[in-house]
Amino acid sequence: MSRKPTVSCVELNQRWLSLPLNLWQTYWASVETIGYRLPMLADGGLTPDARQRAETSRMVNEKLLASAQSLLALWAPPPAQLTLYWLRVWSAALQADTKALEQVQRSWLNGSWPQLLGNHILRAVEQGLRPWHQGATANARRLRKRQR
């Protein structure tokens, strides 16, 4: 008896389609942030004041933190069901067991593992991009308020 997938195909497609919007928001928030920070850093010259040093330090720390969070999200292990499926495939292939390979192929066609794989990849991409998106949009909002 096959287990029903936890995420519907419609929800998975909607999440995949939201990725370009997420990237677009991150891009424009980054452009806005660069537009605020660049003149501030240029005004500082060779001897920036405390506020400019704090902003530069904050910028470096945010990038290091986002990189670490993104890397950890992308290193997330796949679901156990997916791992067991691939172990069965390779085990059958290494033993040259054609009947076992046929069985695995049938379970692939009738099973939910492609959806599990798609959900795992999508979750990794979303979690990998989340720190960058949150940081860029938060900086744009914070610097926008400061400019008013």
Side-chain angles (χ1 to χ4, degrees):
M1 184 164 140
S2 66
R3 282 173 68 179
K4 291 198 173 192
T6 57
V7 178
S8 72
C9 288
V10 173
E11 182 185 344
L12 202 58
N13 287 338
Q14 287 172 344
R15 287 171 54 200
W16 275 111
L17 291 173
S18 70
L19 281 177
L21 175 63
N22 191 331
L23 289 171
W24 181 81
Q25 289 173 335
T26 304
Y27 172 77
W28 284 108
S30 298
V31 167
E32 185 179 3
T33 301
I34 290 168
Y36 289 131
R37 281 183 171 160
L38 195 59
M40 181 179 22
L41 293 174
D43 287 343
L46 295 175
T47 56
D49 62 8
R51 185 177 135 215
Q52 292 162 336
R53 283 194 306 273
E55 185 66 30
T56 304
S57 174
R58 181 183 186 136
M59 179 175 54
V60 170
N61 289 335
E62 285 171 352
K63 290 193 184 339
L64 289 173
L65 181 63
S67 297
Q69 289 172 338
S70 187
L71 186 63
L72 287 174
L74 293 174
W75 271 355
Q81 292 170 307
L82 196 56
T83 306
L84 290 175
Y85 174 80
W86 284 110
L87 285 175
R88 285 197 328 246
V89 168
W90 283 107
S91 172
L94 290 174
Q95 294 172 4
D97 187 355
T98 55
K99 288 189 180 201
L101 277 173
E102 287 173 13
Q103 231 176 8
V104 169
Q105 288 173 345
R106 276 193 217 99
S107 73
W108 175 73
L109 293 172
N110 299 329
S112 62
W113 87 262
Q115 194 168 356
L116 283 171
L117 177 63
N119 193 30
H120 172 68
I121 292 171
L122 178 61
R123 189 172 335 131
V125 169
E126 286 174 337
Q127 290 175 353
L129 291 175
R130 186 172 294 129
W132 298 102
H133 180 262
Q134 287 175 340
T137 53
N139 279 332
R141 276 192 305 271
R142 180 177 56 81
L143 292 170
R144 194 180 307 130
K145 286 179 185 176
R146 186 185 285 181
Q147 294 295 323
R148 290 181 187 171

